[in-house]
Amino acid sequence: GYVRNVNGTTILLAYILVIILLLINLFITLKKEKTVDENLSLFSYQKKALDMWIEKYRINGLLLMDELFGGKEEIILEFCKRMKEYHLPWVAEMRVEMASRKVLEAMKEAGCTHLQFGLESMSTKVLKDMNKQIIQSQIAQALKDSYDLKIHVFGNYIFGAEAEDRESFLET
């Protein structure tokens, strides 16, 4: 389908998806076994493509739908440093355990307006059963810091887990 941006220029939705796919491709290649230098060198290639798409199609925002986005703090910080120059609002998925105050501040400064966390449950029992490797205090801190920085948050919850009962449901 077609989308109209604020200037009235018609662009194909497919082109926006290409930008998203380029960024997803970048983060998929940012594997933990690579060094930070190897990972950061990938930005050079991606930046040229992103520059071209933003200019040619007047992209006015980005949506990063990739759970690997929040894999390494150094990569997030470098991404934020490089995104600042675009002055674009962007939205990302992120794991709670990567949402330190330092990272969230960098994301906000770089234009991040919304974050989506996989919160799943506020029950310790259910989180352990799901092997989430997070605790309630981490969730609470990530939410507090996000709200303090005025980053809007979407939370994904899972109801009906094996370990869930009425009490754990009400905790959430």
Side-chain angles (χ1 to χ4, degrees):
Y2 291 90
V3 174
R4 275 199 196 276
N5 72 8
V6 291
N7 298 325
T9 304
T10 302
I11 56 176
L12 283 173
L13 182 57
Y15 293 129
I16 296 171
L17 294 175
V18 168
I19 295 296
I20 294 166
L21 292 173
L22 283 171
L23 291 168
I24 289 171
N25 179 45
L26 168 67
F27 292 113
I28 287 172
T29 59
L30 300 180
K31 299 189 180 195
K32 293 185 179 187
E33 60 269 11
K34 290 184 180 256
T35 67
V36 172
D37 288 339
E38 287 173 324
N39 283 327
L40 295 181
S41 69
L42 294 170
F43 279 110
S44 298
Y45 167 76
Q46 298 293 340
K47 183 182 180 323
K48 290 175 190 170
L50 188 57
D51 289 346
M52 187 274 295
W53 287 104
I54 287 172
E55 185 176 326
K56 186 173 182 178
Y57 298 104
R58 298 187 179 145
I59 303 298
N60 57 13
L62 296 174
L63 172 62
L64 305 175
M65 296 295 293
D66 191 333
E67 66 185 36
L68 297 178
F69 172 73
K72 284 187 177 182
E73 183 176 288
E74 308 96 303
I75 301 299
I76 299 170
L77 296 174
E78 184 63 26
F79 175 82
C80 290
K81 179 179 160 188
R82 293 174 186 223
M83 279 303 293
K84 279 185 190 180
E85 72 182 80
Y86 294 108
H87 305 286
L88 288 175
W90 53 281
V91 178
E93 291 182 332
M94 180 175 226
R95 295 184 59 89
V96 167
E97 57 268 31
M98 293 305 300
S100 69
R101 182 71 182 216
K102 176 182 175 181
V103 165
L104 292 174
E105 286 173 349
M107 292 174 72
K108 178 66 175 181
E109 288 175 22
C112 181
T113 60
H114 295 74
L115 277 174
Q116 182 172 321
F117 291 119
L119 304 175
E120 319 315 4
S121 178
M122 282 301 285
S123 164
T124 301
K125 174 177 76 173
V126 173
L127 290 170
K128 281 183 184 177
D129 184 63
M130 293 175 151
N131 198 26
K132 282 298 288 181
Q133 300 176 355
I134 57 174
I135 57 175
Q136 291 170 331
S137 61
Q138 286 175 297
I139 295 171
Q141 190 63 53
L143 294 175
K144 180 188 179 314
D145 289 343
S146 298
Y147 291 129
D148 288 350
L149 293 166
K150 298 187 179 9
I151 298 174
H152 302 279
V153 173
F154 299 99
N156 294 333
Y157 295 92
I158 296 176
F159 295 104
E162 257 187 67
E164 190 170 58
D165 54 24
R166 181 172 170 73
E167 186 179 308
S168 60
F169 172 82
L170 294 173
E171 281 182 78
T172 301

